[in-house]
Amino acid sequence: MTLQELVHKAASCYMDRVAVCFDECNNQLPVYYTYKTVVNAASELSNFLLLHCDFQGIREIGLYCQPGIDLPSWILGILQVPAAYVPIEPDSPPSLSTHFMKKCNLKYILVEKKQINKFKSFHETLLNYDTFTVEHNDLVLFRLHWKNTEVNLMLNDGKEKYEKEKIKSISSEHVNEEKAEEHMDLRLKHCLAYVLHTSGTTGIPKIVRVPHKCIVPNIQHFRVLFDITQEDVLFLASPLTFDPSVVEIFLALSSGASLLIVPTSVKLLPSKLASVLFSHHRVTVLQATPTLLRRFGSQLIKSTVLSATTSLRVLALGGEAFPSLTVLRSWRGEGNKTQIFNVYGITEVSSWATIYRIPEKTLNSTLKCELPVQLGFPLLGTVVEVRDTNGFTIQEGSGQVFLGGRNRVCFLDDEVTVPLGTMRATGDFVTVKDGEIFFLGRKDSQIKRHGKRLNIELVQQVAEELQQVESCAVTWYNQEKLILFMVSKDASVKEYIFKELQKYLPSHAVPDELVLIDSLPFTSHGKIDVSELNKIYLNYINLKSENKLSGKEDLWEKLQYLWKRKKCVWKSKCGGTVFSSPCLNLIPHHLYFATLGGLLLAVNPATGNVIWKHSCGKPLFSSPQCCSQYICIGCVDGNLLCFTHFGEQVWQFSTSGPIFSSPCTSPSEQKIFFGSHDCFIYCCNMKGHLQWKFETTSRVYATPFAFHNYNGSNEMLLAAASTDGKVWILESQSGQLQSVYELPGEVFSSPVVLESMLIIGCRDNYVYCLDLLGGNQK
């Protein structure tokens, strides 16, 4: 079975259905082709190529074009010759494209008429005055001339290797016919489907020639796993030079479904792309890299891509490390039912090798998961092995992934024959636990820093879980500095984020520097462009050394400078004495503080200008507490007040005594805890409804502290103190008492917990450290 046979089989059943839609997104109506139109156009191109191409040896035809309505017909037309299509990206660096074409020894290339001038200017060394050209509709067929001495030498080397392989193959046929059948041979007429090159991010790009037998099992298996029908709309998210594009195109066209194509420029405009995909065309299946998905931004993902009403039925993420479950959960809108898959594979064994569907139960769980998402089970015809450093297959522990299978083999560089069942090293390291495989990182992501082994992808995963970080990337600059690049709406959060990273990362994993950027650069394959990040950092340090930082960095540097010079940046008249501590919120960027005059104010932290203020009527000793949706504060009239970040009061909860205690939110932001002078500790949900209350032996002045039980369980506990010197440890879910400690003096100080140690101040002039595991005072 070949790719073109899969399409013809579907076309025979769905001849009049829409096969391809191209939307230029320029206020013009989209263009549609039926299956009949696609197949007929492909046949015309096949006949044209057979008439004008003189094939000798390997049949390969280049395709130099931008995404458009004719793209599937052009690919299908080349395949029907039969020949392998070789996509050349017009926007790729000319040196990379030239290197690729030279290494393939490409004789023929179809160039889209709109791209003729670009092709000629970029690759004039491949053309001469008697270059053979002939037109067919919107295409021009070129015959390439390799006249460079270096190229001739390379081709001669390739020819010599080819002849040696040929002799070796023929000899083996005479000696043992069975053995010959155990090899895949690229010289067979119907063998190859397409030719790609690896990204080259980890070395010199490799040429990968992909047989139909290698890629067809992917298409067949995904049709079943994703339950693709003629009602589905799939988006061509990947460029032709990235092998997931093959799955996107042929998964749609082998199922009677519709393939949506948009210009490359639209993919760079997240809000416009989201509107086109999910409002105009109601895309049901999306395969993408996590980087491409992140470009939408968490708010747009939650409100549109993964909303409760989204058209998206299937989301398959691959090509990079899968997002952490914490991040994934934060992206899903309430009520979303999209099936989410982790797909994994390498170009050298095109295209995907494993798949794992994230269970709905896992997506809805609030429990923290330390391990990354598993890679799942092998796809049809694929063999997955994990080998240790000695090359032995392991069933438990860490090692490198090897991929293959009897027919899941490709030809790399100058290979002409490959033994069936060949296993390829991936350069990806995993850990096997209870039969499940978890991705650890790429070989090139493993570095040694401060004498310890570090996977830099760990740093990225921890950073992107912080609410203030929209997206980020980490580089090991010049193998000496660990740099975290991050996109954030707030330029003043660098110091905060750095402190958060110090909390959650071992010391050898904390970045040397944090660099704020407007957006992450990425390659045409939708992955992070590391070389571009390194250029950004080089410019950053040059600007910094010249004291010419601008934009987001400028304000932060200015504030630091003024602070060191002990100069006041701003002051704001607030209508009363400020007893409580201010609270900084990042999105929206507001600074909140309260006065004994009963005012709660929101000000611009950069200028001090008042954004809004609310009069609570009575003095406010409590400090305001922020969460993503609300801001809460206690009042001496006994009420806990809740406001939106725009100053609208949402609810109030009444107690029987003044509230001096500042509220404390749970890590999940589902509950809020506070104490009152009525001798109770309270727990409310975010709608202001009482969940439980616990009676103490005296007034509660201090702020409670929520923390994870350090005994290894996922239990959440709450530490609180009453003024008679008692420290109460409660189970945060139910309010049940776990333990109580008694200090020899009054307590107005608020407790803090670090691992298993609780620290609190006492009116007897001592600070106490309590061991929560052993019950000992220190």
Side-chain angles (χ1 to χ4, degrees):
M1 182 69 75
T2 62
L3 291 174
Q4 62 268 28
E5 286 172 343
L6 289 176
V7 178
H8 280 284
K9 188 176 179 181
S12 65
C13 301
Y14 307 107
M15 199 63 85
D16 296 322
R17 289 191 68 88
V18 171
V20 187
C21 170
F22 178 65
D23 192 342
E24 286 201 75
C25 310
N26 59 356
N27 298 320
Q28 301 292 318
L29 289 175
V31 184
Y32 298 91
Y33 275 5
T34 63
Y35 275 84
K36 184 177 181 179
T37 304
V38 170
V39 169
N40 288 343
S43 296
E44 289 178 13
L45 180 58
S46 299
N47 294 333
F48 166 79
L49 292 171
L50 284 167
L51 182 64
H52 295 285
C53 296
D54 177 23
F55 293 108
Q56 294 178 354
I58 303 169
R59 296 174 167 226
E60 296 171 347
I61 299 174
L63 183 58
Y64 189 95
C65 67
Q66 292 285 10
I69 189 68
D70 292 299
L71 181 59
S73 303
W74 293 343
I75 291 173
L76 200 59
I78 295 172
L79 291 174
Q80 288 175 184
V81 168
Y85 73 92
V86 186
I88 312 295
E89 174 61 59
D91 295 328
S92 286
S95 58
L96 177 62
S97 298
T98 302
H99 173 82
F100 179 43
M101 289 188 284
K102 283 178 181 177
K103 217 171 176 190
C104 290
N105 189 16
L106 197 63
K107 288 293 196 301
Y108 296 100
I109 184 168
L110 286 166
V111 180
E112 186 180 11
K113 281 184 178 177
K114 294 177 183 177
Q115 306 297 324
I116 286 288
N117 291 335
K118 179 182 279 190
F119 177 75
K120 286 182 174 179
S121 62
F122 281 179
H123 304 290
E124 59 184 351
T125 56
L126 313 183
L127 312 170
N128 60 25
Y129 67 92
D130 65 346
T131 294
F132 163 86
T133 60
V134 60
E135 296 185 13
H136 173 76
N137 296 335
D138 291 326
L139 293 170
V140 178
L141 177 66
F142 284 80
R143 178 165 183 151
L144 303 179
H145 291 264
W146 303 100
K147 54 190 178 181
N148 184 298
T149 307
E150 181 186 336
V151 176
N152 289 336
L153 286 172
M154 189 202 75
L155 293 178
N156 288 336
D157 288 344
K159 187 177 180 182
E160 195 174 303
K161 286 181 183 177
Y162 177 90
E163 292 301 328
K164 284 180 180 177
E165 287 284 348
K166 189 175 180 181
I167 292 166
K168 187 177 177 181
S169 179
I170 292 169
S171 300
S172 64
E173 283 176 22
H174 288 296
V175 175
N176 189 335
E177 289 186 10
E178 275 188 31
K179 192 172 181 181
E181 291 174 4
E182 292 301 308
H183 287 71
M184 197 171 288
D185 192 327
L186 64 79
R187 295 162 295 185
L188 296 176
K189 188 176 179 181
H190 296 277
C191 178
L192 291 184
Y194 55 93
V195 184
L196 300 177
H197 61 81
T198 57
S199 62
T201 54
T202 58
I204 299 171
K206 291 194 285 282
I207 303 299
V208 183
R209 290 182 165 90
V210 184
H212 287 277
K213 286 184 178 179
C214 181
I215 188 61
V216 166
N218 261 202
I219 310 300
Q220 293 172 323
H221 204 172
F222 275 123
R223 282 176 61 189
V224 175
L225 291 170
F226 295 164
D227 193 22
I228 306 295
T229 72
Q230 65 269 26
E231 303 299 325
D232 281 305
V233 179
L234 288 83
F235 175 52
L236 181 59
S238 309
L240 290 188
T241 52
F242 190 29
D243 50 340
S245 64
V246 185
V247 177
E248 292 159 2
I249 293 169
F250 289 95
L251 189 56
L253 300 185
S254 66
S255 308
S258 178
L259 180 71
L260 173 65
I261 303 176
V262 302
T264 303
S265 57
V266 176
K267 295 178 185 177
L268 305 176
L269 304 170
S271 57
K272 190 171 186 177
L273 181 61
S275 178
V276 170
L277 297 189
F278 305 108
S279 296
H280 299 169
H281 295 285
R282 305 293 291 169
V283 165
T284 61
V285 179
L286 175 63
Q287 175 188 263
T289 61
T291 295
L292 188 145
L293 184 66
R294 285 187 182 99
R295 286 184 63 83
F296 286 113
S298 56
Q299 188 173 356
L300 197 55
I301 294 174
K302 194 167 187 175
S303 65
T304 305
V305 184
L306 295 177
S307 67
T309 58
T310 183
S311 60
L312 194 63
R313 192 171 59 76
V314 171
L315 173 63
L317 297 177
E320 295 173 313
F322 196 82
S324 70
L325 283 173
T326 303
V327 171
L328 193 63
R329 288 164 182 160
S330 71
W331 285 345
R332 294 181 81 225
E334 188 176 348
N336 174 256
K337 296 299 181 185
T338 303
Q339 299 173 39
I340 302 177
F341 294 84
N342 179 18
V343 289
Y344 166 77
I346 58 172
T347 302
E348 292 89 334
V349 186
S350 191
S351 166
W352 300 118
T354 66
I355 187 167
Y356 177 70
R357 180 182 173 183
I358 316 301
E360 191 68 23
K361 184 179 178 182
T362 302
L363 290 171
N364 292 330
S365 173
T366 57
L367 297 177
K368 186 172 177 62
C369 180
E370 299 298 333
L371 284 170
V373 171
Q374 60 176 280
L375 297 187
F377 62 86
L379 288 163
L380 186 65
T382 308
V383 175
V384 179
E385 291 181 359
V386 179
R387 300 179 184 175
D388 61 19
T389 52
N390 297 316
F392 294 109
T393 303
I394 60 172
Q395 305 301 322
E396 197 82 6
S398 299
Q400 184 180 182
V401 178
F402 283 72
L403 299 177
R406 179 174 174 80
N407 290 313
R408 299 278 283 124
V409 291
C410 300
F411 303 91
L412 305 187
D413 291 335
D414 297 321
E415 293 177 345
V416 177
T417 62
V418 178
L420 300 180
T422 295
M423 301 294 289
R424 304 286 191 186
T426 64
D428 292 325
F429 285 87
V430 297
T431 186
V432 185
K433 187 176 181 181
D434 299 327
E436 296 173 344
I437 302 175
F438 300 90
F439 182 76
L440 294 177
R442 283 201 53 77
K443 185 178 181 179
D444 46 286
S445 297
Q446 311 289 316
I447 65 172
K448 199 166 186 180
R449 186 167 181 252
H450 304 334
K452 295 184 178 179
R453 185 67 58 185
L454 169 66
N455 172 22
I456 62 175
E457 289 172 359
L458 165 70
V459 183
Q460 179 174 332
Q461 286 187 350
V462 170
E464 73 178 4
E465 288 189 11
L466 299 177
Q467 186 182 352
Q468 299 76 17
V469 178
E470 293 180 39
S471 56
C472 62
V474 182
T475 65
W476 182 226
Y477 184 75
N478 285 346
Q479 296 188 333
E480 59 183 27
K481 293 185 80 174
L482 193 64
I483 312 299
L484 172 64
F485 297 87
M486 58 186 185
V487 178
S488 177
K489 292 179 182 176
D490 191 342
S492 65
V493 299
K494 275 177 67 173
E495 194 66 29
Y496 169 80
I497 289 172
F498 190 76
K499 287 179 179 177
E500 289 297 295
L501 293 175
Q502 287 178 314
K503 281 185 192 175
Y504 299 111
L505 289 170
S507 59
H508 68 281
V510 176
D512 294 297
E513 198 150 6
L514 276 61
V515 179
L516 279 165
I517 55 179
D518 291 322
S519 61
L520 291 172
F522 65 104
T523 66
S524 61
H525 289 184
K527 299 182 181 182
I528 296 295
D529 191 333
V530 177
S531 61
E532 192 60 34
L533 284 177
N534 287 336
K535 289 178 188 175
I536 291 171
Y537 181 66
L538 185 60
N539 291 333
Y540 169 82
I541 56 178
N542 288 338
L543 285 169
K544 195 172 182 181
S545 64
E546 296 170 15
N547 197 24
K548 293 180 181 178
L549 283 170
S550 60
K552 289 182 176 180
E553 295 287 335
D554 194 36
L555 173 63
W556 187 240
E557 293 288 325
K558 181 181 176 184
L559 290 175
Q560 286 184 317
Y561 171 78
L562 291 171
W563 173 251
K564 289 174 184 174
R565 293 286 300 271
K566 301 296 188 292
K567 288 189 176 182
C568 179
V569 179
W570 55 258
K571 62 180 181 179
S572 179
K573 192 170 181 65
C574 50
T577 303
V578 178
F579 187 91
S580 65
S581 301
C583 178
L584 181 65
N585 192 67
L586 297 168
I587 302 173
H589 196 199
H590 291 171
L591 181 69
Y592 298 105
F593 58 93
T595 74
L596 297 187
L599 288 178
L600 174 65
L601 299 97
V603 304
N604 184 323
T607 64
N609 295 334
V610 175
I611 299 168
W612 58 262
K613 60 183 176 182
H614 181 93
S615 177
C616 300
K618 296 289 183 180
L620 300 171
F621 287 86
S622 170
S623 298
Q625 171 69 39
C626 299
C627 65
S628 57
Q629 286 185 291
Y630 304 124
I631 175 168
C632 297
I633 192 168
C635 184
V636 297
D637 65 0
N639 288 316
L640 183 76
L641 307 170
C642 177
F643 301 86
T644 69
H645 286 291
F646 302 99
E648 301 164 336
Q649 186 170 336
V650 183
W651 51 261
Q652 71 178 39
F653 178 86
S654 298
T655 71
S656 302
I659 301 176
F660 282 63
S661 166
S662 301
C664 159
T665 57
S666 63
S668 63
E669 296 189 346
Q670 299 299 308
K671 294 183 175 64
I672 189 159
F673 312 99
F674 61 96
S676 171
H677 279 32
D678 66 359
C679 304
F680 279 95
I681 298 165
Y682 291 87
C683 171
C684 292
N685 64 19
M686 282 302 173
K687 293 182 179 179
H689 300 146
L690 179 67
Q691 301 297 289
W692 54 258
K693 64 179 183 178
F694 176 84
E695 187 173 9
T696 65
T697 51
S698 184
R699 295 175 299 158
V700 180
Y701 188 99
T703 301
F705 191 96
F707 63 98
H708 276 287
N709 193 339
Y710 197 65
N711 64 7
S713 70
N714 289 313
E715 184 183 37
M716 283 297 303
L717 300 178
L718 189 74
S722 50
T723 53
D724 60 354
K726 289 192 175 69
V727 179
W728 312 87
I729 307 298
L730 310 176
E731 200 278 312
S732 68
Q733 187 69 23
S734 62
Q736 289 184 342
L737 180 65
Q738 298 289 304
S739 56
V740 61
Y741 301 78
E742 190 166 356
L743 301 181
E746 289 183 306
V747 173
F748 291 85
S749 168
S750 300
V752 293
V753 178
L754 178 65
E755 297 182 344
S756 66
M757 300 299 176
L758 183 149
I759 297 138
I760 192 167
C762 181
R763 287 288 292 273
D764 70 345
N765 299 336
Y766 284 93
V767 172
Y768 288 84
C769 179
L770 310 177
D771 182 357
L772 299 181
L773 289 180
N776 299 319
Q777 295 182 13
K778 295 188 176 180

